[in-house]
Amino acid sequence: MAALIRVKPILIARLIVAPREAVHSIGTFLHFAPDACRADAEVAGLINDSAPRDLLAAALPGCPSRLYRALDRAGDRVRGREFYRRVGNVAASPFADVMLEAKTIDDACLTYCEALSAMDPEVAAIFAALRDRYHAEFANSLVAFLRAYGAVGENDLRLPPRAGLPALVRRLTRALGRIPAPDPGFEVPAPYRQITSTDELQRLGREFQNCLALHHWGAAEHHLRLIDGSGVYLVADEPRLLVALHRVGGGLWVLEQCAGPKNEAPPEGAQAALLRGLAANGVKVLSTDPQTALARLYGAIRRQRGPQDDDLNEAVIDEDDGEEVAA
């Protein structure tokens, strides 16, 4: 730009009073317009003699006319070539309106518009209307998961006008409830029965007033465990108990919870009877999950030897049998 001003100093006066949208249009022209490759005197003359809208159109042919006014919200300074390239790409995309109506056109805005282009089309359409950058990718991931199970109905993602995020979440939760829990691979002992859907798990979580209801942080993990079979959930009517079993691999399970409403402790002997029934049906239940077991064992060694000596892979002499632990 300095070279252009040297050959045509009058540009200084024009640029000083130019609105932001004009400054950005000139910057875009210099980055992309074929005529910007001419001699400095010719380019300076074009900028001085042309309307900024025409310069923008020459740089980004076919861009919507609204883009010129929208550039008023792109900041006070001319940006680099990559910024205007992204602006042009978004302006030519189905999500141009998201950018053109944004309060600020910046890198975050462009990243959001680009992300919409890569999303499930129905999810992208919803969040283009909601203007909710934070939750769009979460919803897109959940919809991809539901589609993998064939659980998204024809009208699930067609929201009524003015419907917001709560309406979408309700529909996705209903879709999740349509996925049946897989066969646990063992017979459930009486008086328990298997909970066969997240819809039922949600209802029971509310009834029992415990952490399995989805409004609690961490409840979603249990719902997805039910679907992929890594968690099995049982309920009994008499006594009223809710049971959570977690598969830890190798045909082994851990009893995570056996409790009544409001996490009341089970009646005396109820948990022992459950474990006996599971064992009789061939279910191997560990008293502690392997992750906790490993952490506790390492914790014990760390307390004995001190925090500075925490690498058991180094060659040491075993205190019990005298064998060397190889590095």
Side-chain angles (χ1 to χ4, degrees), residues 95 111-125 127-128 132-141 143:
F95 303 103
T111 297
Y112 177 55
C113 295
E114 291 162 350
L116 289 175
S117 297
M119 287 182 184
D120 181 291
E122 291 186 281
V123 175
F127 281 90
D132 185 343
R133 300 182 188 182
Y134 182 72
H135 295 102
E137 291 189 2
F138 300 149
N140 189 60
S141 294
V143 168

Side-chain angles (χ1 to χ4, degrees), residues 39-63:
D40 289 347
E42 293 182 74
V43 175
L46 283 171
I47 293 174
N48 187 65
D49 299 336
S50 303
R53 283 183 180 274
D54 295 336
L55 296 176
L56 181 62
L60 302 175
C63 68

Side-chain angles (χ1 to χ4, degrees), residues 179-182 194-199 201 221-233:
I179 304 174
Q194 184 188 2
I195 299 169
T196 58
S197 71
T198 64
D199 185 56
L201 189 63
E221 180 180 0
H222 291 283
H223 286 249
L224 295 183
R225 280 184 185 179
L226 180 146
I227 288 172
D228 68 18
S230 62
V232 170
Y233 299 85

Side-chain angles (χ1 to χ4, degrees), residues 7-8 34 56 60 65 78 80 86-87 119 124 127 162 168 175 181 199 209 222 236 252-253 282-283 303 324:
V7 299
K8 205 169 190 68
L56 181 62
L60 302 175
S65 59
V78 173
R86 296 173 71 193
V87 166
M119 287 182 184
F127 281 90
R162 300 183 181 179
L168 175 62
D199 185 56
Q209 298 180 48
H222 291 283
L252 302 175
W253 297 81
V283 183
R303 287 191 299 273
E324 186 177 66

Side-chain angles (χ1 to χ4, degrees), residues 1 10 19 80 135 157 160 182 184 222 240 256 260 277 300:
M1 195 68 203
I10 196 173
H135 295 102
L157 299 178
H222 291 283
R240 193 65 170 153
E256 286 195 345

Side-chain angles (χ1 to χ4, degrees), residues 246-254 282-286 290:
H246 182 209
R247 191 194 305 268
V248 293
L252 302 175
W253 297 81
V254 171
V283 183
K284 296 180 180 180
V285 180
L286 302 179

